[in-house]
């Protein structure tokens, strides 16, 4: 994709001096307002931190078998980067330079939006999103490739999922093209916040919400589509080491006929109580069961779940209560391409407890190996001495190699911003 096309159709705020090309964007004065800086930011220094040239490609940087080994390309890229301690990125919010925003009235369609300085929103206290939770979000990532290019992973899939969710939530949505162009523009405008290769990614968070004021229960009269970004590292505090899950038997994430199959904001608020209780007991997160029989696996708070038995990889089928994860779908295809048999079906707690390996997938968590499951106070461990299972490691490496541009994109999943 020519970078010049990225801004086609956008109406940048004239005060921002945004140009039509990536090189023009790089000329933007960096925002160094200390008030907007996160504690992660280091004292001002030059970008020399990752302009060092390295001549070797290092396939894996971590020899600890208890953690996933990360592909770690040596970088020959010199960038004007944000002043961040790139080695200690977690999955926390960090304000960046720009966000994308566009509004549209109910019954109308979105036109093209604009980039504006990142900042707080002004909303009526009566906004549909605040009062009735009329909102959806998406999550995708941009990776910095070792040649300096930027890679997006299947952004059109997020666009389509947002559109499907918008029907369920009675909201207008941007077209797939508008969505993808907006993502590209936001990423390029915040390019200096993309971690160097092997250090993490730029998490992209599109939001679609009822921003108009409404009091009686009804769809809001106005909608806002916005995109903000934040540099991130590993999602779980365990890093790339296996996580410990507890199966929740009292609370449920979703019900048949509800909104579990779309990425509505309320789905995530609904898991906080069980998740907080689990974390207080030392678990990494919660695995939910179906609300009808209380015996079929659904998903973890923020990701999909897979069980491995021999050469068969199984995951709960999409049936309205499970989020159709883009990483989930991609891992199924990657697994097939690597000779595994995959099954989308009802997966029981017994299947889980008898599995050889268990892992989770999601944009934020990528592929996260599970070290133990606790169900009704019984704890089952996977892998030898809590190490990463062979299949989890193999699929993680295959997927991240694609996402980071270390393997040829035979699937046609990568959108490269040159
Ligand atoms: C993602 O994986 O991108 C998600 O949307 C999950 C979120 C709770 C971090």
């Amino acid at each position: 994709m020519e970078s010049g096309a990225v801004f086609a159709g956008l109406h940048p705020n004239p005060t921002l001096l945004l140009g039509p090309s990536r090189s023009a964007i790089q000329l933007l004065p960096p925002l160094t307002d200390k008030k907007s800086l996160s504690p992660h930011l280091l004292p001002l220094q030059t970008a020399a931190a990752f302009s060092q040239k390295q001549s070797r490609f290092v396939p894996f940087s971590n020899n600890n078998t208890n953690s996933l080994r990360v592909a770690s390309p040596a970088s020959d890229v010199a960038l004007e980067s944000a002043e961040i301690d790139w080695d200690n990125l977690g999955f926390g919010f960090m304000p960046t330079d720009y966000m994308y925003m566009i509004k549209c009235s109910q019954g109308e369609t979105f036109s093209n939006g604009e980039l504006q300085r990142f900042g707080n929103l002004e909303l009526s206290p009566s906004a549909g999103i605040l009062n009735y939770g009329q909102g959806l979000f998406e999550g995708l990532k941009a990776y910095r490739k070792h040649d300096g290019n930027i890679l997006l992973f299947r952004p059109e899939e997020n666009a389509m999922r947002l559109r499907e969710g918008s029907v369920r939530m009675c909201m207008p949505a941007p077209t797939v093209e508008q969505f993808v162009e907006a993502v590209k523009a936001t990423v390029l405008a915040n390019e200096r916040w993309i971690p160097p290769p092997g250090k993490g990614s730029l998490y992209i968070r599109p939001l679609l919400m009822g921003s108009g004021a409404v009091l009686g229960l009804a769809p809001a009269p106005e909608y806002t589509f916005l995109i903000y970004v934040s540099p991130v590292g590993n999602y779980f505090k365990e890093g790339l080491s296996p996580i410990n899950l507890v199966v929740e038997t009292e609370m449920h994430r979703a019900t048949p006929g509800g909104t579990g199959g779309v990425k509505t904001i309320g789905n995530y608020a609904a898991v906080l109580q069980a998740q907080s209780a689990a974390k207080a007991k030392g678990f990494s997160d919660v695995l939910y069961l179906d609300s009808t029989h209380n015996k079929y696996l659904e998903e973890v708070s923020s990701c999909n779940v897979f069980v491995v038995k021999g050469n068969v990889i199984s995951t709960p089928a999409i049936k309205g209560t499970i989020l159709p994860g883009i990483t989930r779908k991609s891992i199924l295809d990657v697994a097939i391409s690597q000779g595994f048999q995959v099954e989308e079906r009802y997966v029981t707690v017994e299947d889980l407890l008898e599995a050889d390996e268990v892992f989770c997938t999601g944009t934020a968590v990528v592929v996260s190996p599970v070290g133990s499951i606790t169900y009704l106070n019984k704890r089952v461990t996977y892998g030898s001495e809590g190490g990463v299972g062979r299949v989890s490691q193999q699929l993680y490496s295959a997927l991240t190699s694609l996402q980071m541009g270390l393997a040829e994109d035979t699937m046609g999943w990568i959108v490269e911003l040159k």
Side-chain angles (χ1 to χ4, degrees):
M1 176 82 196
E2 285 297 313
S3 56
V6 164
F7 280 86
L10 288 177
H11 305 300
N13 182 330
T15 60
L16 300 185
L17 303 176
L18 287 178
S21 71
R22 187 170 149 202
S23 54
I25 294 165
Q26 286 173 330
L27 294 176
L28 280 169
L31 300 181
T32 51
D33 173 7
K34 288 284 191 299
K35 278 178 287 195
S36 69
L37 299 183
S38 104
H40 290 281
L41 300 189
L42 295 170
L44 221 59
Q45 53 183 242
T46 68
F50 53 90
S51 65
Q52 305 148 327
K53 298 212 175 210
Q54 298 174 40
S55 55
R56 229 162 25 93
F57 178 82
V58 186
F60 293 107
S61 64
N62 184 346
N63 291 325
N64 178 359
T65 53
N66 290 336
S67 300
L68 284 170
R69 286 164 293 139
V70 186
S72 173
S75 172
D76 59 358
V77 183
L79 288 172
E80 279 299 324
S81 84
E83 302 294 335
I84 295 175
D85 179 3
W86 296 113
D87 290 317
N88 290 299
L89 279 178
F91 199 92
F93 169 66
M94 193 180 290
T96 64
D97 297 337
Y98 297 100
M99 62 187 188
Y100 176 98
M101 193 146 87
I102 176 75
K103 292 177 192 254
C104 118
S105 297
Q106 189 188 19
E108 295 183 353
T109 53
F110 281 99
S111 57
N112 293 308
E114 67 177 22
L115 289 162
Q116 52 183 258
R117 295 287 193 205
F118 181 88
N120 292 344
L121 303 179
E122 188 168 301
L123 276 179
S124 164
S126 197
I129 181 70
L130 297 181
N131 291 260
Y132 300 125
Q134 195 188 14
L136 292 162
F137 75 94
E138 277 298 325
L140 63 161
K141 285 174 173 171
Y143 286 90
R144 171 75 68 189
K145 205 175 154 197
H146 55 88
D147 65 2
N149 290 346
I150 301 164
L151 305 180
L152 299 174
F153 186 70
R154 312 186 79 176
E156 68 292 341
E157 290 287 336
N158 295 88
M160 289 189 279
R161 188 169 66 182
L162 185 77
R163 287 185 66 78
E164 278 156 27
S166 75
V167 175
R168 182 67 177 82
M169 301 301 289
C170 291
M171 298 192 285
T175 64
V176 171
E177 193 190 8
Q178 284 172 327
F179 179 100
V180 173
E181 294 304 307
V183 166
K184 289 178 182 172
T186 313
V187 168
L188 289 176
N190 291 291
E191 183 174 355
R192 73 192 185 97
W193 298 89
I194 305 175
K199 301 287 186 192
S201 59
L202 189 71
Y203 186 77
I204 304 159
R205 175 51 67 82
L207 285 172
L208 179 63
M209 65 182 117
S211 47
V214 60
L215 193 56
L217 180 56
E222 179 208 75
Y223 294 86
T224 297
F225 172 58
L226 75 80
I227 305 177
Y228 69 90
V229 296
S230 186
V232 295
N234 295 320
Y235 184 78
F236 289 112
K237 72 170 170 38
E238 288 81 355
L240 299 173
S241 298
I243 57 171
N244 301 298
L245 299 177
V246 60
V247 179
E248 172 60 48
T249 53
E250 302 288 328
M251 285 184 254
H252 297 280
R253 175 187 170 275
T255 50
T259 56
V262 298
K263 213 164 168 61
T264 188
I265 286 162
N267 289 349
Y268 293 82
V271 303
L272 294 177
Q273 188 184 358
Q275 189 195 49
S276 305
K279 287 191 174 177
K281 290 182 189 150
F283 296 107
S284 316
D285 216 319
V286 175
L287 173 54
Y288 292 91
L289 299 179
D290 77 286
S291 62
T292 309
H293 307 96
N294 217 28
K295 70 172 187 183
Y296 298 112
L297 309 191
E298 296 243 304
E299 63 182 84
V300 179
S301 308
S302 59
C303 44
N304 296 115
V305 65
F306 287 72
V307 299
V308 182
K309 191 75 181 170
N311 193 47
V312 183
I313 300 179
S314 306
T315 192
I318 300 296
K319 51 177 178 54
T321 52
I322 293 167
L323 188 81
I326 294 158
T327 312
R328 172 190 177 281
K329 177 176 170 173
S330 306
I331 278 294
L332 287 170
D333 287 342
V334 167
I336 292 168
S337 77
Q338 302 223 341
F340 291 100
Q341 182 184 329
V342 304
E343 293 180 353
E344 294 178 80
R345 61 172 171 89
Y346 286 103
V347 181
T348 63
V349 176
E350 286 67 40
D351 295 329
L352 174 76
L353 301 179
E354 289 163 12
D356 298 335
E357 285 180 43
V358 177
F359 63 87
C360 299
T361 66
T363 297
V365 308
V366 192
V367 174
S368 193
V370 175
S372 76
I373 295 278
T374 299
Y375 174 63
L376 298 176
N377 293 322
K378 181 181 165 197
R379 186 166 185 266
V380 173
T381 56
Y382 304 93
S384 55
E385 294 167 17
V388 177
R390 181 186 59 82
V391 177
S392 310
Q393 176 67 58
Q394 184 176 332
L395 295 175
Y396 171 87
S397 298
L399 182 76
T400 55
S401 295
L402 277 172
Q403 292 176 325
M404 296 177 190
L406 304 175
E408 189 192 349
D409 175 25
T410 51
M411 303 289 203
W413 288 342
I414 301 297
V415 174
E416 187 157 359
L417 309 183
K418 294 185 197 295

